[in-house]
Amino acid sequence: MADQNLRQDWEWSELEWGLADEALAEHYESVRHLETLGLKPLSSGLTVLIWGLRLYVLFMAVVVIVNVVQTVH
Amino acid sequence: MIHHMNEEDRHRAHDRVQVLKAYRSRQRWRLLWLLIGPGILVMLGENDAPSMLSYAATGSQFGIGFFLPFVVFTFALAFVAQEITVRLGAVSKTGHADLIYRRFGRFWGNFAMVDLLWTNVMTLITEFIGVVAGAGFFGIPAWLAVLGALTLIALATFSRRYWRWERMTLAFALFNLIFIPVAILVHPHWASVGRALLTWRPLPGGINNNTIILLLADIGATITPWMLFFQQGAVSDKGLAAQDIRHGRWDTAIGATLATLAALAAIIATAPLYLHHMNAAQFGAAQFAQALRPYAGRIGATLFALGILEAGLVAAMTISTSSAYAFGEVMRVAHSLNRPFHEARGFYLVLLLVAALSGAVVLIPGFPLEYVVIIVNVVAVLTMPPAIGFLLILANDREIMGRYRNTTFLNIIGIGVGVFVSLAGILYALTVILPNLKF
């Protein structure tokens, strides 16, 4: 339940304070759950996929540089 | 519980109470009003200066036949990707960068951050190019335009409330629709517009490197990494809960619709330049506005220049915020627009410094403005495949998403988006490596 100063600042009804507690309970529950999350175990398929996508970006970065150089010249 | 909260949580609780009251009293329209924001902002924010200039270049070089339905298609792809960020943000209550670091570790998180940062900085530079070019049409010197934009960004940022920042930025973002009256002023043949949308004709002149760059620029005008980080960050900062996901989808759909209309309008507005065989390949914002004067009149040209200025300004606000959210999430420091400056110094300083540095780059004499504008969207597309990969893995993560994880149908569409974006990049690479290749 809220303290007196906050109650005076916001001038909420009991219903509204109840809703605030409800909203916060849901928020804090999600945050608590988030803190329990660790690293996701990646299957070999997913690892290959992520590496493939990373190499794709690196290759494309080189292509963009080549394209820019071609255009400038 | 509420007296233990910091200012960020108190503001969010205040907003949530309004939402829960609207749920209880079944005020559907008020609920929508309270919950919209991130989706519209991200979509209209992505209709930024380089995007609108890409659409203008498209209309002036290829007319409406191929590109009108193509742009509708790309916004449909953007909706698929952005809808996932709504669910991720509402369920996990944290940003995209934070989830990537938590679930994939620092090694992969750093890669994702590097992609985000270099595309964000490049894009931010082009936003200021848009601001400077748009302001230049009205005779405003570049330094004053940059200073004015930075002042507006600072004013919105220091409103100390996510809600206030969101509504101010939304008001600016709606000016993106200014391209619609410009399209009307050029008196297009509406039957041809309708036919173009329904029949999707092939590209005039076949496919070459220039065409592929414009194709990629138009894809990059709708799907980019910063959008994923921004919308998820904004959804969690706004305090959306799992029960709000349906409204988050509506928010994203409304944003996609408005942004599509503005993009189509930019293409239609500049199509007369194609019809009159004007070579607009190297046009910047001010030149487009000048070239449109014979077709759209003085008012139309002025609106076009204003539209580019506004597009740059809104995107500068959203992209610098996206960088700051990511910084805060990665460094695990306070990162909310609901926090006062002294509680989130790093977040606010990154937001303003990134904007200020990008604005300063534009003032460097001889900076190749027009080329950077087009290439930045291309770069954004090329960094998308891993971003979509992480997005889909997170959306299927049972531990994070629970019953809100992706369905098989959504996975098929999501993978389709990833494959399409990857193939577009490969096509671009082929035209660079083998310039004489014909399709």
Side-chain angles (χ1 to χ4, degrees):
Chain A
M1 190 53 71
D3 64 10
Q4 200 57 39
N5 289 340
L6 209 61
R7 283 172 163 275
Q8 283 167 359
D9 284 351
W10 286 8
E11 294 176 350
W12 275 354
S13 65
E14 283 303 319
L15 169 74
E16 286 166 322
W17 286 113
L19 291 176
D21 280 344
E22 184 187 319
L24 285 169
E26 197 256 357
H27 180 78
Y28 287 136
E29 177 54 36
S30 297
V31 173
R32 255 195 305 276
H33 175 64
L34 189 68
E35 294 303 328
T36 65
L37 290 176
L39 285 179
K40 181 180 172 61
L42 292 175
S43 65
S44 51
L46 273 185
T47 309
V48 170
L49 174 73
I50 298 178
W51 267 111
L53 292 171
R54 180 49 47 199
L55 293 175
Y56 171 96
V57 171
L58 294 175
F59 172 69
M60 288 302 170
V62 175
V63 171
V64 169
I65 292 167
V66 170
N67 193 200
V68 170
V69 171
Q70 281 174 352
T71 309
V72 170
H73 288 91
Chain B
M1 185 182 291
I2 207 160
H3 57 286
H4 296 305
M5 291 188 301
N6 56 37
E7 194 166 336
E8 174 187 344
D9 286 347
R10 284 183 193 179
H11 286 316
R12 198 172 294 129
H14 186 275
D15 294 343
R16 289 304 300 167
V17 167
Q18 309 306 315
V19 170
L20 291 174
K21 276 167 71 181
Y23 270 118
R24 292 207 168 193
S25 52
R26 298 179 191 279
Q27 295 172 293
R28 281 194 307 174
W29 292 108
R30 175 157 173 76
L31 201 51
L32 186 64
W33 165 249
L34 291 171
L35 292 174
I36 59 169
I40 297 179
L41 270 185
V42 81
M43 291 293 184
L44 289 180
E46 180 50 9
N47 264 5
D48 55 358
S51 300
M52 298 319 286
L53 284 172
S54 293
Y55 295 135
T58 301
S60 62
Q61 289 182 57
F62 296 99
I64 58 174
F66 175 84
F67 278 98
L68 287 192
F70 182 72
V71 165
V72 175
F73 173 67
T74 55
F75 271 106
L77 302 185
F79 174 81
V80 171
Q82 296 306 127
E83 187 274 339
I84 297 175
T85 66
V86 174
R87 274 183 289 131
L88 278 172
V91 174
S92 71
K93 304 280 189 294
T94 189
H96 203 58
D98 186 27
L99 279 188
I100 291 177
Y101 272 82
R102 278 179 198 274
R103 297 303 273 159
F104 300 96
R106 194 148 282 278
F107 178 76
W108 290 112
N110 288 342
F111 270 127
M113 274 308 98
V114 168
D115 286 352
L116 178 76
L117 279 181
W118 74 297
T119 51
N120 268 15
V121 169
M122 278 181 72
T123 314
L124 258 177
I125 291 169
T126 63
E127 306 311 343
F128 281 97
I129 292 174
V131 169
V132 166
F137 181 82
F138 303 101
I140 300 169
W143 67 269
L144 190 57
V146 169
L147 196 64
L150 288 174
T151 308
L152 274 174
I153 292 169
L155 281 176
T157 302
F158 289 118
S159 60
R160 284 185 56 174
R161 289 281 273 111
Y162 172 85
W163 171 261
R164 230 175 275 146
W165 175 88
E166 181 191 88
R167 299 294 133 161
M168 282 168 77
T169 315
L170 263 181
F172 279 123
L174 287 175
F175 272 100
N176 195 235
L177 301 175
I178 212 167
F179 288 95
I180 294 175
V182 184
I184 294 170
L185 284 168
V186 300
H187 304 294
H189 189 254
W190 290 110
S192 303
V193 171
R195 209 168 27 248
L197 280 167
L198 293 174
T199 57
W200 203 338
R201 284 178 227 159
L203 261 172
I207 293 179
N208 54 38
N209 181 250
N210 179 41
T211 326
I212 290 292
I213 286 182
L214 265 184
L215 266 171
L216 252 68
D218 283 352
I219 299 170
T222 47
I223 312 174
T224 58
W226 79 262
M227 294 171 74
L228 307 176
F229 289 83
F230 172 80
Q231 190 167 1
Q232 190 174 330
V235 161
S236 63
D237 204 4
K238 189 177 171 74
L240 258 61
Q243 70 185 117
D244 309 319
I245 287 173
R246 192 163 61 92
H247 290 88
R249 285 190 183 122
W250 274 109
D251 175 35
T252 311
I254 294 169
T257 308
L258 293 176
T260 306
L261 287 175
L264 296 181
I267 296 177
I268 294 168
T270 51
L273 303 178
Y274 168 72
L275 294 174
H276 294 87
H277 305 292
M278 196 171 284
N279 181 11
Q282 299 300 321
F283 274 13
Q287 292 99 314
F288 267 120
Q290 292 290 359
L292 279 177
R293 193 172 275 202
Y295 312 102
R298 193 171 54 84
I299 293 175
T302 306
L303 291 179
F304 186 92
L306 262 180
I308 297 293
L309 197 162
E310 174 276 341
L313 187 58
V314 170
M317 286 170 155
T318 49
I319 296 172
S320 46
T321 308
S322 133
S323 308
Y325 275 141
F327 166 81
E329 289 163 23
V330 171
M331 303 304 289
R332 299 277 165 92
V333 294
H335 52 277
S336 170
L337 290 161
N338 279 326
R339 294 256 188 174
F341 180 78
H342 65 88
E343 282 184 17
R345 279 196 186 88
F347 170 75
Y348 285 113
L349 284 176
V350 164
L351 197 159
L352 294 176
L353 267 177
V354 168
L357 282 176
S358 308
V361 168
V362 177
L363 299 177
I364 297 171
F367 193 76
L369 303 180
E370 275 73 37
Y371 189 69
V372 173
V373 164
I374 296 293
I375 206 72
V376 74
N377 275 347
V378 174
V379 171
V381 178
L382 300 176
T383 53
M384 257 328 258
I388 290 180
F390 283 129
L391 184 72
L392 286 175
I393 297 170
L394 288 173
N396 283 284
D397 193 325
R398 203 180 288 263
E399 274 193 72
I400 298 173
M401 299 297 280
R403 66 191 179 92
Y404 296 99
R405 69 182 183 279
N406 256 17
T407 60
T408 308
F409 176 69
L410 288 176
N411 277 333
I412 291 170
I413 300 180
I415 291 169
V417 173
V419 169
F420 174 77
V421 173
S422 306
L423 288 179
I426 290 169
L427 203 59
Y428 163 73
L430 282 175
T431 61
V432 173
I433 297 164
L434 306 165
N436 297 320
L437 196 67
K438 292 280 176 213
F439 294 94

Short mmCIF file of all heavy atoms in Angstrom, two decimals, chain B residues 211 274 301 430:
data_model
loop_
_atom_site.label_atom_id
_atom_site.label_comp_id
_atom_site.label_asym_id
_atom_site.label_seq_id
_atom_site.Cartn_x
_atom_site.Cartn_y
_atom_site.Cartn_z
N THR B 211 19.53 -0.65 -60.33
CA THR B 211 18.19 -1.10 -59.95
C THR B 211 18.23 -1.86 -58.63
O THR B 211 17.37 -1.66 -57.76
CB THR B 211 17.61 -2.06 -61.02
OG1 THR B 211 18.09 -1.67 -62.28
CG2 THR B 211 16.12 -2.08 -61.00
N TYR B 274 9.79 10.89 -63.89
CA TYR B 274 10.05 9.71 -64.75
C TYR B 274 9.30 9.86 -66.06
O TYR B 274 9.86 9.65 -67.15
CB TYR B 274 9.61 8.44 -64.01
CG TYR B 274 9.55 7.20 -64.88
CD1 TYR B 274 10.72 6.58 -65.32
CD2 TYR B 274 8.32 6.64 -65.25
CE1 TYR B 274 10.67 5.44 -66.11
CE2 TYR B 274 8.27 5.50 -66.03
CZ TYR B 274 9.44 4.91 -66.47
OH TYR B 274 9.39 3.79 -67.24
N ALA B 301 6.08 21.75 -53.81
CA ALA B 301 7.54 21.68 -53.62
C ALA B 301 7.90 22.01 -52.18
O ALA B 301 8.76 21.35 -51.57
CB ALA B 301 8.22 22.65 -54.58
N LEU B 430 26.06 -10.06 -56.23
CA LEU B 430 26.34 -10.56 -57.59
C LEU B 430 26.51 -9.41 -58.58
O LEU B 430 27.40 -9.44 -59.43
CB LEU B 430 25.19 -11.47 -58.04
CG LEU B 430 25.19 -12.90 -57.46
CD1 LEU B 430 23.94 -13.65 -57.88
CD2 LEU B 430 26.45 -13.64 -57.92
#
